[in-house]
Amino acid sequence: MTPDIYAVAGNPVAHSQSPFIHAQFARQTGQLISYERLQCPIDGFSATVQAFAAAGGRGCNVTVPFKFEACRLARTLSPRAALAAAVNTLRFDQDGWFGDNTDGAGLVRDIEGNAGIPLAGQRILLLGAGGAAAGVLGSLIGTDPAAITVANRNPDKARALVESHQELAKARRVQLLACGLTDCGRSYDILVNGTSASLAGAGVPVSAEVLKPGALALDMMYGPLAANFLAWARSNGAQARDGLGMLVEQAAEAFEVWRGLRPDTKPVLAALIERLA
Ligand code: ATR
């Protein structure tokens, strides 16, 4: 039997840990799959993914900076992907591609399940308004925090993201605000960095006054790209967390979309931390 082939599509993908994670899930659940990296030219995402599907690929994860573009390739969307207008998981169904977004569920599972920090009633600052931030905002609202502020370098993009989620926020009585990076308030319980500032070699894009003492400061990045943020968070009295837990949790959710089975994430996260130590 030949394995079903999946991939992570993005730019860059050279250091992605998704192949390792999905290999562990496959072994654990007895599924015959292989999982590759698909480096896409910046103007060639659609062509690269279509060629991968035509060659027998069954689905892919989508990472920076193509999550909005991936949304446009899907014929049907899960409600959470439609809300985010961003897709991180494509399944190449015969009658048209299905797009989902597992980032938000992955983030919430990591914070509440793995880190043991309930989000209900908390004040959250979400940095960024690109595909990564869009993918998690709906799930964060769903945990019933007191308030979420979305801060972005380009404040208009933060406003647009907030606008698209305002109905949900009002229904759940969550205060949802948008702002720039220099006027985003102070003393938050939870800081989530969903910008790609570190990919661009830039530093932490906000002042440390956004952190309440003992706040959780989580970067969706991991490995060397998260190092600067984690050091900044620790030196400012916060509990620092990288994006490895979220990565494994969103991958488990994607694995379920493709294979109909939910793997056990705990041993895989432990193995990944050991592998990267
Ligand atoms: P992703 O899928 O990782 O979200 P993206 O859609 O390209 O990728 O979005 C990148 C995000 O990182 C955006 O919010 C971007 O801010 P702008 O919308 O103002 O461009 C943010 N970002 C990138 N480089 C940054 C930097 N040096 N400082 C602050 N924010 C940055």
Side-chain angles (χ1 to χ4, degrees):
M1 271 189 16
T2 51
D4 290 339
I5 306 170
Y6 298 87
V8 55
N11 184 335
V13 287
H15 298 103
S16 170
Q17 296 299 318
S18 292
F20 174 79
I21 294 169
H22 283 281
Q24 300 284 315
F25 288 166
R27 189 176 331 153
Q28 191 193 94
T29 58
Q31 296 283 300
L32 189 61
I33 71 161
S34 75
Y35 189 106
E36 312 171 343
R37 294 184 181 86
L38 209 56
Q39 172 79 19
C40 305
I42 288 298
D43 59 353
F45 170 73
S46 166
T48 308
V49 171
Q50 270 155 358
F52 173 67
R58 300 289 297 270
C60 68
N61 284 131
V62 180
T63 188
V64 60
F66 300 122
K67 290 178 184 179
F68 292 128
E69 202 175 335
C71 192
R72 297 193 285 272
L73 291 183
R75 195 175 69 88
T76 53
L77 293 172
S78 66
R80 57 193 181 182
L83 177 65
V87 155
N88 81 334
T89 303
L90 284 168
R91 193 181 61 212
F92 305 145
D93 293 344
Q94 292 294 329
D95 56 349
W97 294 3
F98 169 70
D100 197 357
N101 199 314
T102 66
D103 279 341
L107 176 68
V108 168
R109 267 177 193 273
D110 183 52
I111 295 176
E112 296 200 318
N114 299 337
I117 298 172
L119 291 170
Q122 307 271 41
R123 289 180 65 245
I124 301 174
L125 177 61
L126 174 62
L127 304 181
V136 302
L137 183 55
S139 298
L140 287 175
I141 293 169
T143 65
D144 296 326
I148 304 176
T149 299
V150 179
N152 195 45
R153 183 172 59 181
N154 174 347
D156 287 342
K157 278 171 65 181
R159 279 191 274 275
L161 182 58
V162 159
E163 185 54 37
S164 65
H165 286 68
Q166 203 56 268
E167 197 179 312
L168 174 65
K170 287 212 167 92
R172 299 197 72 106
R173 299 176 191 279
V174 176
Q175 188 186 28
L176 185 59
L177 301 166
C179 60
L181 293 171
T182 52
D183 58 346
C184 50
R186 48 192 299 137
S187 299
Y188 288 90
D189 304 302
I190 311 279
L191 170 66
V192 175
N193 183 18
T195 73
S196 56
S198 63
L199 268 180
V204 178
V206 280
S207 145
E209 69 181 19
V210 302
L211 297 169
K212 193 170 162 177
L216 172 71
L218 184 149
D219 196 337
M220 291 195 207
M221 298 281 176
Y222 55 87
L225 287 172
N228 192 29
F229 179 93
L230 298 181
W232 170 86
R234 283 190 197 103
S235 70
N236 287 290
Q239 185 180 334
R241 191 167 182 85
D242 69 13
L244 275 184
M246 173 185 170
L247 180 75
V248 174
E249 297 297 340
Q250 65 75 30
E253 198 98 358
F255 191 86
E256 192 174 2
V257 170
W258 293 326
R259 312 301 297 183
L261 293 165
R262 173 165 278 279
D264 181 7
T265 52
K266 280 214 163 49
V268 179
L269 178 56
L272 190 59
I273 290 170
E274 195 176 317
R275 173 183 160 91
L276 295 178

